[in-house]
Structures are given as structure tokens and as C-alpha cells.
Amino acid sequence: MIKKLITLGLFSISAISFAQKVSVMPSVGFAWRTAEMPKGITYEERNYIKGLKKGVNFDISAYYHVNHILGVGLKFSNYSASSDGRLTVMDNQGNVITGNVSTKDNITFFDPALMISNFSEQTKHKMFIDMGLGVISYTTKTGSVKGTGSNLGAELNFGYQYQVSKNFLIQSKTGSYCRNAQQNEVQRCYV
């Protein structure tokens, strides 16, 4: 499964270059969160958290090319992961409680962005870097308990595209977005 997701991420599709002024770049691939695991957790807790640290990322961006290297536009990214596990906790009275849990996490990011590229050059090998500053939102749901939050976030991507035809390119990219707010950390990297 992981090999299939990585392969999908390495060969995500990009449609680009409408009259050489607009680029629309959808992408889907395997993603993982890079935040460190907590210290002193059990084997079951570690496996449960590992399930939430890997998932699927979908993003789409649209850019208007201001000149031959600079584009301005908007980006939307969505990371989804889920995990099931059997966890043990201690309540306020010191009683040990064990139960099955199922969690679904969703991280979305929306931002205005800048892109630097060689899209106007006469080569089949295109490179780009894009960066944005925007709103990152986090939703987690375990059973009937739901947690949400949002904050200011940043995103940075590097990409390579091979031009199959005038308006169709295949891309491979890597990037990350993150938000840090005191002890609550959300990070994502994807291929």
C-alpha cells in the first residue's frame, strides 16, 4: 500500500499553461507528519500514533504568471490520516480503563502563494518553488469527541515537472507546511 501511494505521489499530474499565463497544478500523494513521537509511550500507543503520522495529501494551486519566472496565486492542501488502536488510560480516581479507539485527522491549508519557475523556458524539464502564508486548520475526531483548531501557517514546495505535451506535465514534488502554537504542533511532509 505504501509503495503504491509513494508511486502515485511521484507521478502526480499537473495541467499547466493556458495561454502561457495561468498554471493549474493538482497533486495527490503519500504524506507523513514529521513531529517527534512522545517519550515513554507504550508499544500500542506508538503504533496508534504511527497510523496518524502517515496519510494522503491532496493539493491544488493556481497561478497567474506575472513575468517569465514569477507567478502569484492561491493554494489549497488537505492531509488525511486515520488510526485504530487499543489504548489504556488512568482516570482521575486511579482506575485503569482500556478500550478500542478510532481516530480520523484532517489538516487543511489555504493560502495566497508565490511561485518561481522556469516554465517559460524552451525545455521539457521544468522546476518550481512555491511558498505561501495562510490559514492552517486541524480537525481530529475520535468516536463522538471532536477537536478543532486553526492558526497561521506556512507552506514551502519544491517540484520537478516533465512536459509531456504543450499543456500537460507530470510532476514530482516535495514540500511541507507547519504550524507551531505552544505545545500543539502540526507538520506535514509529502512526496
Side-chain angles (χ1 to χ4, degrees), residues 5 29-33 51-57 79-82:
L5 289 172
F30 180 70
W32 65 95
R33 292 160 77 175
L52 295 174
K53 287 180 62 98
K54 58 187 175 189
V56 175
N57 188 79
Y79 168 83
S80 299
S82 63

Side-chain angles (χ1 to χ4, degrees), residues 19 27 31 38 45 50 58 61 118 138 144 149 155-156 159 176 187 191:
S27 177
E45 292 169 329
K50 278 184 182 178
F58 165 77
S61 54
N118 69 338
Y138 179 77
S144 61
E155 181 172 19
L156 178 65
S176 66
Q187 292 183 327
V191 175

Side-chain angles (χ1 to χ4, degrees), residues 7 18 33 39 47 51 53 56 62 81-82 94 101-102 104 112 136 138 141 187:
T7 303
F18 301 103
R33 292 160 77 175
K39 304 280 190 244
N47 285 338
K53 287 180 62 98
V56 175
S82 63
V101 294
S102 180
K104 293 182 180 180
I136 189 168
Y138 179 77
K141 186 170 182 187
Q187 292 183 327

Side-chain angles (χ1 to χ4, degrees), residues 13 19 49 72 78 120 152 164 173 183 186:
I13 297 172
I49 293 171
V72 294
N78 181 279
S120 63
L152 182 65
V164 177
K173 72 177 186 173
Q183 296 175 340
V186 174

Side-chain angles (χ1 to χ4, degrees), residues 29-78:
F30 180 70
W32 65 95
R33 292 160 77 175
T34 59
E36 289 185 28
M37 286 274 207
K39 304 280 190 244
I41 60 175
T42 66
Y43 176 77
E44 289 84 9
E45 292 169 329
R46 181 170 295 281
N47 285 338
Y48 173 71
I49 293 171
K50 278 184 182 178
L52 295 174
K53 287 180 62 98
K54 58 187 175 189
V56 175
N57 188 79
F58 165 77
D59 63 58
I60 187 164
S61 54
Y63 291 99
Y64 174 77
H65 296 275
V66 177
N67 58 35
H68 68 283
I69 64 166
L70 181 66
V72 294
L74 296 172
K75 294 182 67 62
F76 172 80
S77 299
N78 181 279

